[in-house]
Every structure is written in C-alpha cells, then in structure tokens.
PDB file of all heavy atoms in Angstrom:
ATOM      1  N   HIS D  10      -0.849  -6.934 -13.111  1.00  0.00           N
ATOM      2  CA  HIS D  10      -0.268  -7.177 -11.789  1.00  0.00           C
ATOM      3  C   HIS D  10       0.917  -6.256 -11.498  1.00  0.00           C
ATOM      4  O   HIS D  10       1.086  -5.805 -10.364  1.00  0.00           O
ATOM      5  CB  HIS D  10       0.138  -8.643 -11.629  1.00  0.00           C
ATOM      6  CG  HIS D  10      -1.045  -9.560 -11.606  1.00  0.00           C
ATOM      7  ND1 HIS D  10      -1.833  -9.713 -10.498  1.00  0.00           N
ATOM      8  CD2 HIS D  10      -1.578 -10.356 -12.560  1.00  0.00           C
ATOM      9  CE1 HIS D  10      -2.797 -10.563 -10.757  1.00  0.00           C
ATOM     10  NE2 HIS D  10      -2.675 -10.962 -12.012  1.00  0.00           N
ATOM     11  N   ASP D  11       1.730  -5.984 -12.504  1.00  0.00           N
ATOM     12  CA  ASP D  11       2.865  -5.082 -12.276  1.00  0.00           C
ATOM     13  C   ASP D  11       2.392  -3.681 -11.912  1.00  0.00           C
ATOM     14  O   ASP D  11       2.951  -3.018 -11.046  1.00  0.00           O
ATOM     15  CB  ASP D  11       3.773  -5.030 -13.503  1.00  0.00           C
ATOM     16  CG  ASP D  11       4.598  -6.302 -13.660  1.00  0.00           C
ATOM     17  OD1 ASP D  11       4.844  -6.983 -12.644  1.00  0.00           O
ATOM     18  OD2 ASP D  11       4.994  -6.607 -14.800  1.00  0.00           O
ATOM     19  N   HIS D  12       1.333  -3.224 -12.584  1.00  0.00           N
ATOM     20  CA  HIS D  12       0.793  -1.902 -12.289  1.00  0.00           C
ATOM     21  C   HIS D  12       0.230  -1.856 -10.862  1.00  0.00           C
ATOM     22  O   HIS D  12       0.487  -0.899 -10.126  1.00  0.00           O
ATOM     23  CB  HIS D  12      -0.299  -1.528 -13.298  1.00  0.00           C
ATOM     24  CG  HIS D  12      -0.958  -0.218 -12.999  1.00  0.00           C
ATOM     25  ND1 HIS D  12      -0.297   0.986 -13.142  1.00  0.00           N
ATOM     26  CD2 HIS D  12      -2.199   0.085 -12.532  1.00  0.00           C
ATOM     27  CE1 HIS D  12      -1.110   1.965 -12.788  1.00  0.00           C
ATOM     28  NE2 HIS D  12      -2.263   1.440 -12.413  1.00  0.00           N
ATOM     29  N   LYS D  13      -0.483  -2.883 -10.455  1.00  0.00           N
ATOM     30  CA  LYS D  13      -1.039  -2.933  -9.097  1.00  0.00           C
ATOM     31  C   LYS D  13       0.079  -2.964  -8.066  1.00  0.00           C
ATOM     32  O   LYS D  13       0.025  -2.262  -7.058  1.00  0.00           O
ATOM     33  CB  LYS D  13      -1.925  -4.172  -8.915  1.00  0.00           C
ATOM     34  CG  LYS D  13      -3.236  -4.079  -9.605  1.00  0.00           C
ATOM     35  CD  LYS D  13      -4.189  -3.226  -8.808  1.00  0.00           C
ATOM     36  CE  LYS D  13      -5.575  -3.389  -9.375  1.00  0.00           C
ATOM     37  NZ  LYS D  13      -6.547  -2.594  -8.701  1.00  0.00           N
ATOM     38  N   ARG D  14       1.104  -3.773  -8.331  1.00  0.00           N
ATOM     39  CA  ARG D  14       2.230  -3.852  -7.407  1.00  0.00           C
ATOM     40  C   ARG D  14       2.911  -2.494  -7.298  1.00  0.00           C
ATOM     41  O   ARG D  14       3.289  -2.059  -6.214  1.00  0.00           O
ATOM     42  CB  ARG D  14       3.206  -4.924  -7.908  1.00  0.00           C
ATOM     43  CG  ARG D  14       3.936  -5.621  -6.806  1.00  0.00           C
ATOM     44  CD  ARG D  14       4.762  -6.781  -7.313  1.00  0.00           C
ATOM     45  NE  ARG D  14       3.964  -7.997  -7.331  1.00  0.00           N
ATOM     46  CZ  ARG D  14       3.687  -8.718  -8.409  1.00  0.00           C
ATOM     47  NH1 ARG D  14       4.133  -8.347  -9.589  1.00  0.00           N
ATOM     48  NH2 ARG D  14       2.970  -9.808  -8.346  1.00  0.00           N
ATOM     49  N   LYS D  15       3.041  -1.801  -8.427  1.00  0.00           N
ATOM     50  CA  LYS D  15       3.668  -0.480  -8.429  1.00  0.00           C
ATOM     51  C   LYS D  15       2.821   0.501  -7.614  1.00  0.00           C
ATOM     52  O   LYS D  15       3.367   1.311  -6.851  1.00  0.00           O
ATOM     53  CB  LYS D  15       3.838   0.012  -9.860  1.00  0.00           C
ATOM     54  CG  LYS D  15       4.601   1.294  -9.962  1.00  0.00           C
ATOM     55  CD  LYS D  15       4.869   1.655 -11.407  1.00  0.00           C
ATOM     56  CE  LYS D  15       5.692   2.927 -11.476  1.00  0.00           C
ATOM     57  NZ  LYS D  15       6.007   3.301 -12.831  1.00  0.00           N
ATOM     58  N   MET D  16       1.511   0.423  -7.737  1.00  0.00           N
ATOM     59  CA  MET D  16       0.631   1.294  -6.948  1.00  0.00           C
ATOM     60  C   MET D  16       0.806   1.035  -5.457  1.00  0.00           C
ATOM     61  O   MET D  16       0.843   1.964  -4.648  1.00  0.00           O
ATOM     62  CB  MET D  16      -0.833   1.076  -7.353  1.00  0.00           C
ATOM     63  CG  MET D  16      -1.193   1.658  -8.686  1.00  0.00           C
ATOM     64  SD  MET D  16      -2.894   1.246  -9.211  1.00  0.00           S
ATOM     65  CE  MET D  16      -3.845   1.601  -7.757  1.00  0.00           C
ATOM     66  N   ILE D  17       0.926  -0.230  -5.086  1.00  0.00           N
ATOM     67  CA  ILE D  17       1.104  -0.596  -3.678  1.00  0.00           C
ATOM     68  C   ILE D  17       2.423  -0.041  -3.157  1.00  0.00           C
ATOM     69  O   ILE D  17       2.493   0.554  -2.074  1.00  0.00           O
ATOM     70  CB  ILE D  17       1.043  -2.130  -3.494  1.00  0.00           C
ATOM     71  CG1 ILE D  17      -0.376  -2.630  -3.812  1.00  0.00           C
ATOM     72  CG2 ILE D  17       1.483  -2.537  -2.087  1.00  0.00           C
ATOM     73  CD1 ILE D  17      -0.473  -4.140  -3.996  1.00  0.00           C
ATOM     74  N   VAL D  18       3.498  -0.224  -3.933  1.00  0.00           N
ATOM     75  CA  VAL D  18       4.825   0.254  -3.535  1.00  0.00           C
ATOM     76  C   VAL D  18       4.816   1.776  -3.381  1.00  0.00           C
ATOM     77  O   VAL D  18       5.308   2.320  -2.389  1.00  0.00           O
ATOM     78  CB  VAL D  18       5.893  -0.183  -4.567  1.00  0.00           C
ATOM     79  CG1 VAL D  18       7.214   0.532  -4.320  1.00  0.00           C
ATOM     80  CG2 VAL D  18       6.079  -1.687  -4.515  1.00  0.00           C
ATOM     81  N   GLU D  19       4.247   2.472  -4.346  1.00  0.00           N
ATOM     82  CA  GLU D  19       4.246   3.932  -4.296  1.00  0.00           C
ATOM     83  C   GLU D  19       3.390   4.460  -3.142  1.00  0.00           C
ATOM     84  O   GLU D  19       3.741   5.460  -2.504  1.00  0.00           O
ATOM     85  CB  GLU D  19       3.786   4.510  -5.626  1.00  0.00           C
ATOM     86  CG  GLU D  19       4.838   4.320  -6.699  1.00  0.00           C
ATOM     87  CD  GLU D  19       4.420   4.802  -8.075  1.00  0.00           C
ATOM     88  OE1 GLU D  19       3.226   5.158  -8.260  1.00  0.00           O
ATOM     89  OE2 GLU D  19       5.284   4.842  -8.967  1.00  0.00           O
ATOM     90  N   THR D  20       2.296   3.781  -2.845  1.00  0.00           N
ATOM     91  CA  THR D  20       1.454   4.180  -1.723  1.00  0.00           C
ATOM     92  C   THR D  20       2.182   3.950  -0.406  1.00  0.00           C
ATOM     93  O   THR D  20       2.162   4.808   0.483  1.00  0.00           O
ATOM     94  CB  THR D  20       0.121   3.417  -1.758  1.00  0.00           C
ATOM     95  OG1 THR D  20      -0.554   3.711  -2.985  1.00  0.00           O
ATOM     96  CG2 THR D  20      -0.761   3.797  -0.584  1.00  0.00           C
ATOM     97  N   ALA D  21       2.824   2.792  -0.283  1.00  0.00           N
ATOM     98  CA  ALA D  21       3.595   2.502   0.934  1.00  0.00           C
ATOM     99  C   ALA D  21       4.698   3.537   1.113  1.00  0.00           C
ATOM    100  O   ALA D  21       4.928   4.047   2.215  1.00  0.00           O
ATOM    101  CB  ALA D  21       4.188   1.091   0.861  1.00  0.00           C
ATOM    102  N   TRP D  22       5.376   3.865   0.019  1.00  0.00           N
ATOM    103  CA  TRP D  22       6.442   4.885   0.051  1.00  0.00           C
ATOM    104  C   TRP D  22       5.901   6.203   0.567  1.00  0.00           C
ATOM    105  O   TRP D  22       6.466   6.832   1.459  1.00  0.00           O
ATOM    106  CB  TRP D  22       7.026   5.064  -1.352  1.00  0.00           C
ATOM    107  CG  TRP D  22       8.010   6.170  -1.434  1.00  0.00           C
ATOM    108  CD1 TRP D  22       7.762   7.460  -1.741  1.00  0.00           C
ATOM    109  CD2 TRP D  22       9.415   6.084  -1.184  1.00  0.00           C
ATOM    110  NE1 TRP D  22       8.922   8.191  -1.711  1.00  0.00           N
ATOM    111  CE2 TRP D  22       9.952   7.368  -1.377  1.00  0.00           C
ATOM    112  CE3 TRP D  22      10.268   5.042  -0.825  1.00  0.00           C
ATOM    113  CZ2 TRP D  22      11.292   7.645  -1.225  1.00  0.00           C
ATOM    114  CZ3 TRP D  22      11.605   5.323  -0.682  1.00  0.00           C
ATOM    115  CH2 TRP D  22      12.115   6.594  -0.874  1.00  0.00           C
ATOM    116  N   LYS D  23       4.759   6.636   0.027  1.00  0.00           N
ATOM    117  CA  LYS D  23       4.173   7.911   0.407  1.00  0.00           C
ATOM    118  C   LYS D  23       3.835   7.941   1.910  1.00  0.00           C
ATOM    119  O   LYS D  23       4.133   8.919   2.590  1.00  0.00           O
ATOM    120  CB  LYS D  23       2.911   8.171  -0.422  1.00  0.00           C
ATOM    121  CG  LYS D  23       2.241   9.494  -0.120  1.00  0.00           C
ATOM    122  CD  LYS D  23       0.998   9.675  -0.956  1.00  0.00           C
ATOM    123  CE  LYS D  23      -0.083   8.804  -0.343  1.00  0.00           C
ATOM    124  NZ  LYS D  23      -1.414   8.979  -0.880  1.00  0.00           N
ATOM    125  N   ILE D  24       3.251   6.858   2.413  1.00  0.00           N
ATOM    126  CA  ILE D  24       2.875   6.801   3.826  1.00  0.00           C
ATOM    127  C   ILE D  24       4.113   6.801   4.718  1.00  0.00           C
ATOM    128  O   ILE D  24       4.188   7.550   5.700  1.00  0.00           O
ATOM    129  CB  ILE D  24       1.992   5.574   4.113  1.00  0.00           C
ATOM    130  CG1 ILE D  24       0.641   5.731   3.409  1.00  0.00           C
ATOM    131  CG2 ILE D  24       1.801   5.378   5.612  1.00  0.00           C
ATOM    132  CD1 ILE D  24      -0.209   4.474   3.405  1.00  0.00           C
ATOM    133  N   ILE D  25       5.092   5.979   4.367  1.00  0.00           N
ATOM    134  CA  ILE D  25       6.321   5.906   5.170  1.00  0.00           C
ATOM    135  C   ILE D  25       7.048   7.252   5.142  1.00  0.00           C
ATOM    136  O   ILE D  25       7.536   7.721   6.166  1.00  0.00           O
ATOM    137  CB  ILE D  25       7.225   4.762   4.699  1.00  0.00           C
ATOM    138  CG1 ILE D  25       6.572   3.421   4.981  1.00  0.00           C
ATOM    139  CG2 ILE D  25       8.598   4.840   5.372  1.00  0.00           C
ATOM    140  CD1 ILE D  25       7.253   2.232   4.344  1.00  0.00           C
ATOM    141  N   GLU D  26       7.087   7.878   3.985  1.00  0.00           N
ATOM    142  CA  GLU D  26       7.782   9.156   3.846  1.00  0.00           C
ATOM    143  C   GLU D  26       7.129  10.258   4.684  1.00  0.00           C
ATOM    144  O   GLU D  26       7.817  11.052   5.313  1.00  0.00           O
ATOM    145  CB  GLU D  26       7.802   9.557   2.375  1.00  0.00           C
ATOM    146  CG  GLU D  26       8.526  10.854   2.097  1.00  0.00           C
ATOM    147  CD  GLU D  26       8.546  11.179   0.622  1.00  0.00           C
ATOM    148  OE1 GLU D  26       7.500  11.027  -0.041  1.00  0.00           O
ATOM    149  OE2 GLU D  26       9.603  11.603   0.139  1.00  0.00           O
ATOM    150  N   THR D  27       5.811  10.304   4.680  1.00  0.00           N
ATOM    151  CA  THR D  27       5.129  11.401   5.359  1.00  0.00           C
ATOM    152  C   THR D  27       4.791  11.132   6.820  1.00  0.00           C
ATOM    153  O   THR D  27       4.755  12.054   7.613  1.00  0.00           O
ATOM    154  CB  THR D  27       3.827  11.771   4.606  1.00  0.00           C
ATOM    155  OG1 THR D  27       2.977  10.631   4.535  1.00  0.00           O
ATOM    156  CG2 THR D  27       4.130  12.287   3.225  1.00  0.00           C
ATOM    157  N   GLU D  28       4.561   9.852   7.170  1.00  0.00           N
ATOM    158  CA  GLU D  28       4.094   9.559   8.527  1.00  0.00           C
ATOM    159  C   GLU D  28       4.931   8.545   9.294  1.00  0.00           C
ATOM    160  O   GLU D  28       4.674   8.302  10.455  1.00  0.00           O
ATOM    161  CB  GLU D  28       2.641   9.056   8.454  1.00  0.00           C
ATOM    162  CG  GLU D  28       1.704  10.073   7.838  1.00  0.00           C
ATOM    163  CD  GLU D  28       0.300   9.545   7.693  1.00  0.00           C
ATOM    164  OE1 GLU D  28      -0.163   8.852   8.617  1.00  0.00           O
ATOM    165  OE2 GLU D  28      -0.311   9.815   6.653  1.00  0.00           O
ATOM    166  N   GLY D  29       5.877   7.911   8.622  1.00  0.00           N
ATOM    167  CA  GLY D  29       6.740   6.936   9.297  1.00  0.00           C
ATOM    168  C   GLY D  29       6.277   5.511   9.045  1.00  0.00           C
ATOM    169  O   GLY D  29       5.120   5.256   8.727  1.00  0.00           O
ATOM    170  N   ILE D  30       7.207   4.583   9.219  1.00  0.00           N
ATOM    171  CA  ILE D  30       6.940   3.175   8.915  1.00  0.00           C
ATOM    172  C   ILE D  30       5.859   2.588   9.827  1.00  0.00           C
ATOM    173  O   ILE D  30       5.112   1.702   9.426  1.00  0.00           O
ATOM    174  CB  ILE D  30       8.233   2.328   8.970  1.00  0.00           C
ATOM    175  CG1 ILE D  30       7.989   0.955   8.327  1.00  0.00           C
ATOM    176  CG2 ILE D  30       8.769   2.228  10.396  1.00  0.00           C
ATOM    177  CD1 ILE D  30       9.236   0.184   8.022  1.00  0.00           C
ATOM    178  N   GLU D  31       5.733   3.116  11.033  1.00  0.00           N
ATOM    179  CA  GLU D  31       4.735   2.578  11.967  1.00  0.00           C
ATOM    180  C   GLU D  31       3.293   2.823  11.496  1.00  0.00           C
ATOM    181  O   GLU D  31       2.373   2.145  11.927  1.00  0.00           O
ATOM    182  CB  GLU D  31       4.930   3.126  13.387  1.00  0.00           C
ATOM    183  CG  GLU D  31       4.844   4.621  13.494  1.00  0.00           C
ATOM    184  CD  GLU D  31       6.123   5.365  13.135  1.00  0.00           C
ATOM    185  OE1 GLU D  31       7.172   4.733  12.936  1.00  0.00           O
ATOM    186  OE2 GLU D  31       6.051   6.597  13.031  1.00  0.00           O
ATOM    187  N   LYS D  32       3.097   3.762  10.593  1.00  0.00           N
ATOM    188  CA  LYS D  32       1.756   4.053  10.061  1.00  0.00           C
ATOM    189  C   LYS D  32       1.449   3.265   8.781  1.00  0.00           C
ATOM    190  O   LYS D  32       0.343   3.325   8.261  1.00  0.00           O
ATOM    191  CB  LYS D  32       1.607   5.546   9.764  1.00  0.00           C
ATOM    192  CG  LYS D  32       1.735   6.415  10.972  1.00  0.00           C
ATOM    193  CD  LYS D  32       0.553   6.249  11.878  1.00  0.00           C
ATOM    194  CE  LYS D  32       0.654   7.217  13.042  1.00  0.00           C
ATOM    195  NZ  LYS D  32      -0.425   7.137  13.954  1.00  0.00           N
ATOM    196  N   ALA D  33       2.417   2.515   8.278  1.00  0.00           N
ATOM    197  CA  ALA D  33       2.254   1.790   7.011  1.00  0.00           C
ATOM    198  C   ALA D  33       1.681   0.392   7.244  1.00  0.00           C
ATOM    199  O   ALA D  33       2.277  -0.605   6.891  1.00  0.00           O
ATOM    200  CB  ALA D  33       3.587   1.716   6.270  1.00  0.00           C
ATOM    201  N   SER D  34       0.504   0.342   7.811  1.00  0.00           N
ATOM    202  CA  SER D  34      -0.133  -0.955   8.059  1.00  0.00           C
ATOM    203  C   SER D  34      -0.734  -1.502   6.764  1.00  0.00           C
ATOM    204  O   SER D  34      -0.995  -0.760   5.823  1.00  0.00           O
ATOM    205  CB  SER D  34      -1.244  -0.803   9.104  1.00  0.00           C
ATOM    206  OG  SER D  34      -2.321  -0.044   8.564  1.00  0.00           O
ATOM    207  N   THR D  35      -0.941  -2.792   6.759  1.00  0.00           N
ATOM    208  CA  THR D  35      -1.555  -3.432   5.590  1.00  0.00           C
ATOM    209  C   THR D  35      -2.926  -2.819   5.313  1.00  0.00           C
ATOM    210  O   THR D  35      -3.251  -2.502   4.175  1.00  0.00           O
ATOM    211  CB  THR D  35      -1.716  -4.948   5.842  1.00  0.00           C
ATOM    212  OG1 THR D  35      -0.442  -5.490   6.168  1.00  0.00           O
ATOM    213  CG2 THR D  35      -2.260  -5.662   4.629  1.00  0.00           C
ATOM    214  N   ARG D  36      -3.703  -2.620   6.346  1.00  0.00           N
ATOM    215  CA  ARG D  36      -5.055  -2.052   6.200  1.00  0.00           C
ATOM    216  C   ARG D  36      -4.989  -0.631   5.601  1.00  0.00           C
ATOM    217  O   ARG D  36      -5.746  -0.269   4.719  1.00  0.00           O
ATOM    218  CB  ARG D  36      -5.754  -2.024   7.542  1.00  0.00           C
ATOM    219  CG  ARG D  36      -7.166  -1.491   7.479  1.00  0.00           C
ATOM    220  CD  ARG D  36      -7.878  -1.638   8.804  1.00  0.00           C
ATOM    221  NE  ARG D  36      -8.176  -3.055   9.019  1.00  0.00           N
ATOM    222  CZ  ARG D  36      -8.011  -3.686  10.167  1.00  0.00           C
ATOM    223  NH1 ARG D  36      -7.577  -3.055  11.225  1.00  0.00           N
ATOM    224  NH2 ARG D  36      -8.284  -4.964  10.286  1.00  0.00           N
ATOM    225  N   ARG D  37      -4.066   0.177   6.087  1.00  0.00           N
ATOM    226  CA  ARG D  37      -3.940   1.559   5.617  1.00  0.00           C
ATOM    227  C   ARG D  37      -3.521   1.609   4.154  1.00  0.00           C
ATOM    228  O   ARG D  37      -4.081   2.344   3.352  1.00  0.00           O
ATOM    229  CB  ARG D  37      -2.925   2.289   6.500  1.00  0.00           C
ATOM    230  CG  ARG D  37      -2.523   3.656   6.024  1.00  0.00           C
ATOM    231  CD  ARG D  37      -3.563   4.705   6.394  1.00  0.00           C
ATOM    232  NE  ARG D  37      -3.245   5.993   5.839  1.00  0.00           N
ATOM    233  CZ  ARG D  37      -2.376   6.844   6.354  1.00  0.00           C
ATOM    234  NH1 ARG D  37      -1.740   6.572   7.471  1.00  0.00           N
ATOM    235  NH2 ARG D  37      -2.162   7.998   5.767  1.00  0.00           N
ATOM    236  N   ILE D  38      -2.519   0.823   3.799  1.00  0.00           N
ATOM    237  CA  ILE D  38      -2.038   0.809   2.410  1.00  0.00           C
ATOM    238  C   ILE D  38      -3.119   0.296   1.481  1.00  0.00           C
ATOM    239  O   ILE D  38      -3.394   0.891   0.434  1.00  0.00           O
ATOM    240  CB  ILE D  38      -0.739   0.011   2.289  1.00  0.00           C
ATOM    241  CG1 ILE D  38       0.394   0.734   3.024  1.00  0.00           C
ATOM    242  CG2 ILE D  38      -0.350  -0.208   0.819  1.00  0.00           C
ATOM    243  CD1 ILE D  38       1.640  -0.071   3.207  1.00  0.00           C
ATOM    244  N   ALA D  39      -3.765  -0.798   1.858  1.00  0.00           N
ATOM    245  CA  ALA D  39      -4.839  -1.354   1.030  1.00  0.00           C
ATOM    246  C   ALA D  39      -5.951  -0.340   0.827  1.00  0.00           C
ATOM    247  O   ALA D  39      -6.449  -0.160  -0.296  1.00  0.00           O
ATOM    248  CB  ALA D  39      -5.389  -2.618   1.668  1.00  0.00           C
ATOM    249  N   SER D  40      -6.313   0.349   1.871  1.00  0.00           N
ATOM    250  CA  SER D  40      -7.383   1.352   1.793  1.00  0.00           C
ATOM    251  C   SER D  40      -7.019   2.474   0.822  1.00  0.00           C
ATOM    252  O   SER D  40      -7.826   2.884  -0.012  1.00  0.00           O
ATOM    253  CB  SER D  40      -7.643   1.931   3.185  1.00  0.00           C
ATOM    254  OG  SER D  40      -8.549   2.987   3.111  1.00  0.00           O
ATOM    255  N   GLU D  41      -5.786   2.957   0.912  1.00  0.00           N
ATOM    256  CA  GLU D  41      -5.375   4.056   0.041  1.00  0.00           C
ATOM    257  C   GLU D  41      -5.216   3.621  -1.414  1.00  0.00           C
ATOM    258  O   GLU D  41      -5.382   4.431  -2.317  1.00  0.00           O
ATOM    259  CB  GLU D  41      -4.091   4.684   0.566  1.00  0.00           C
ATOM    260  CG  GLU D  41      -4.339   5.378   1.884  1.00  0.00           C
ATOM    261  CD  GLU D  41      -3.480   6.583   2.114  1.00  0.00           C
ATOM    262  OE1 GLU D  41      -2.827   7.067   1.172  1.00  0.00           O
ATOM    263  OE2 GLU D  41      -3.462   7.044   3.263  1.00  0.00           O
ATOM    264  N   VAL D  42      -4.884   2.354  -1.644  1.00  0.00           N
ATOM    265  CA  VAL D  42      -4.783   1.835  -3.005  1.00  0.00           C
ATOM    266  C   VAL D  42      -6.175   1.547  -3.579  1.00  0.00           C
ATOM    267  O   VAL D  42      -6.372   1.529  -4.776  1.00  0.00           O
ATOM    268  CB  VAL D  42      -3.897   0.568  -3.053  1.00  0.00           C
ATOM    269  CG1 VAL D  42      -3.905  -0.093  -4.399  1.00  0.00           C
ATOM    270  CG2 VAL D  42      -2.469   0.919  -2.685  1.00  0.00           C
ATOM    271  N   GLY D  43      -7.127   1.324  -2.663  1.00  0.00           N
ATOM    272  CA  GLY D  43      -8.497   1.055  -3.102  1.00  0.00           C
ATOM    273  C   GLY D  43      -8.784  -0.433  -3.252  1.00  0.00           C
ATOM    274  O   GLY D  43      -9.531  -0.851  -4.139  1.00  0.00           O
ATOM    275  N   MET D  44      -8.205  -1.229  -2.362  1.00  0.00           N
ATOM    276  CA  MET D  44      -8.450  -2.667  -2.392  1.00  0.00           C
ATOM    277  C   MET D  44      -8.554  -3.182  -0.962  1.00  0.00           C
ATOM    278  O   MET D  44      -8.209  -2.479  -0.029  1.00  0.00           O
ATOM    279  CB  MET D  44      -7.354  -3.396  -3.164  1.00  0.00           C
ATOM    280  CG  MET D  44      -5.955  -3.280  -2.585  1.00  0.00           C
ATOM    281  SD  MET D  44      -4.657  -4.223  -3.422  1.00  0.00           S
ATOM    282  CE  MET D  44      -4.677  -3.592  -5.057  1.00  0.00           C
ATOM    283  N   SER D  45      -9.020  -4.402  -0.840  1.00  0.00           N
ATOM    284  CA  SER D  45      -9.098  -5.029   0.487  1.00  0.00           C
ATOM    285  C   SER D  45      -7.714  -5.520   0.899  1.00  0.00           C
ATOM    286  O   SER D  45      -6.817  -5.676   0.063  1.00  0.00           O
ATOM    287  CB  SER D  45     -10.075  -6.196   0.462  1.00  0.00           C
ATOM    288  OG  SER D  45      -9.549  -7.244  -0.324  1.00  0.00           O
ATOM    289  N   THR D  46      -7.552  -5.801   2.189  1.00  0.00           N
ATOM    290  CA  THR D  46      -6.267  -6.337   2.653  1.00  0.00           C
ATOM    291  C   THR D  46      -6.010  -7.710   2.031  1.00  0.00           C
ATOM    292  O   THR D  46      -4.879  -8.055   1.715  1.00  0.00           O
ATOM    293  CB  THR D  46      -6.209  -6.444   4.190  1.00  0.00           C
ATOM    294  OG1 THR D  46      -7.318  -7.194   4.647  1.00  0.00           O
ATOM    295  CG2 THR D  46      -6.227  -5.070   4.816  1.00  0.00           C
ATOM    296  N   ARG D  47      -7.064  -8.461   1.842  1.00  0.00           N
ATOM    297  CA  ARG D  47      -6.907  -9.782   1.214  1.00  0.00           C
ATOM    298  C   ARG D  47      -6.425  -9.650  -0.234  1.00  0.00           C
ATOM    299  O   ARG D  47      -5.552 -10.393  -0.667  1.00  0.00           O
ATOM    300  CB  ARG D  47      -8.242 -10.519   1.258  1.00  0.00           C
ATOM    301  CG  ARG D  47      -8.139 -11.921   0.770  1.00  0.00           C
ATOM    302  CD  ARG D  47      -9.433 -12.651   0.976  1.00  0.00           C
ATOM    303  NE  ARG D  47      -9.277 -14.019   0.527  1.00  0.00           N
ATOM    304  CZ  ARG D  47     -10.190 -14.930   0.652  1.00  0.00           C
ATOM    305  NH1 ARG D  47     -11.342 -14.650   1.206  1.00  0.00           N
ATOM    306  NH2 ARG D  47      -9.971 -16.145   0.215  1.00  0.00           N
ATOM    307  N   ALA D  48      -6.972  -8.691  -0.950  1.00  0.00           N
ATOM    308  CA  ALA D  48      -6.528  -8.469  -2.336  1.00  0.00           C
ATOM    309  C   ALA D  48      -5.074  -7.993  -2.365  1.00  0.00           C
ATOM    310  O   ALA D  48      -4.292  -8.427  -3.215  1.00  0.00           O
ATOM    311  CB  ALA D  48      -7.432  -7.449  -3.019  1.00  0.00           C
ATOM    312  N   LEU D  49      -4.698  -7.143  -1.422  1.00  0.00           N
ATOM    313  CA  LEU D  49      -3.315  -6.654  -1.368  1.00  0.00           C
ATOM    314  C   LEU D  49      -2.348  -7.811  -1.162  1.00  0.00           C
ATOM    315  O   LEU D  49      -1.324  -7.895  -1.828  1.00  0.00           O
ATOM    316  CB  LEU D  49      -3.172  -5.622  -0.251  1.00  0.00           C
ATOM    317  CG  LEU D  49      -1.803  -4.955  -0.170  1.00  0.00           C
ATOM    318  CD1 LEU D  49      -1.976  -3.477   0.153  1.00  0.00           C
ATOM    319  CD2 LEU D  49      -0.941  -5.613   0.863  1.00  0.00           C
ATOM    320  N   ARG D  50      -2.709  -8.727  -0.272  1.00  0.00           N
ATOM    321  CA  ARG D  50      -1.824  -9.872   0.012  1.00  0.00           C
ATOM    322  C   ARG D  50      -1.649 -10.777  -1.205  1.00  0.00           C
ATOM    323  O   ARG D  50      -0.671 -11.512  -1.286  1.00  0.00           O
ATOM    324  CB  ARG D  50      -2.365 -10.659   1.199  1.00  0.00           C
ATOM    325  CG  ARG D  50      -2.172  -9.929   2.497  1.00  0.00           C
ATOM    326  CD  ARG D  50      -2.531 -10.804   3.687  1.00  0.00           C
ATOM    327  NE  ARG D  50      -2.672  -9.985   4.864  1.00  0.00           N
ATOM    328  CZ  ARG D  50      -3.801  -9.820   5.526  1.00  0.00           C
ATOM    329  NH1 ARG D  50      -4.890 -10.440   5.142  1.00  0.00           N
ATOM    330  NH2 ARG D  50      -3.843  -9.057   6.586  1.00  0.00           N
ATOM    331  N   HIS D  51      -2.574 -10.726  -2.126  1.00  0.00           N
ATOM    332  CA  HIS D  51      -2.482 -11.531  -3.353  1.00  0.00           C
ATOM    333  C   HIS D  51      -1.242 -11.199  -4.158  1.00  0.00           C
ATOM    334  O   HIS D  51      -0.705 -12.044  -4.870  1.00  0.00           O
ATOM    335  CB  HIS D  51      -3.748 -11.312  -4.189  1.00  0.00           C
ATOM    336  CG  HIS D  51      -3.680 -11.919  -5.544  1.00  0.00           C
ATOM    337  ND1 HIS D  51      -3.816 -13.273  -5.752  1.00  0.00           N
ATOM    338  CD2 HIS D  51      -3.464 -11.365  -6.771  1.00  0.00           C
ATOM    339  CE1 HIS D  51      -3.695 -13.524  -7.049  1.00  0.00           C
ATOM    340  NE2 HIS D  51      -3.502 -12.387  -7.676  1.00  0.00           N
TER     341      HIS D  51
END
C-alpha cells in the first residue's frame, strides 16, 4: 500500500507540475498509475 500511495503521489505531482492542478483529476491520475478510479480511492 505504501508503494501504491507513493506512485499516486508522484503521478499527481508530475501532472500538477507539468499541466497545472486543474488537470489532476481522479480519472487522469488513476489512468496514469494504471488503476481504476475506484481502486485509487481505496
């Protein structure tokens, strides 16, 4: 779980850094991490 959480944080960071916070949707982050939005919310 810590590794998955770290992947989510780093992916969110990358999106916010390159495209802005408005592009950091749950769907976008989940997609880039390789999981569903439901799994991300877990």
Side-chain angles (χ1 to χ4, degrees):
H10 293 282
D11 287 334
H12 176 70
K13 287 281 192 181
R14 211 173 271 119
K15 187 174 182 178
M16 286 174 48
I17 293 166
V18 169
E19 288 177 351
T20 300
W22 174 269
K23 181 181 76 172
I24 293 169
I25 293 170
E26 181 178 44
T27 58
E28 300 177 40
I30 194 166
E31 59 278 351
K32 298 290 184 179
S34 68
T35 304
R36 182 173 288 136
R37 171 80 185 279
I38 293 169
S40 173
E41 293 212 13
V42 173
M44 62 176 59
S45 68
T46 55
R47 186 174 182 176
L49 185 140
R50 288 188 195 115
H51 171 76

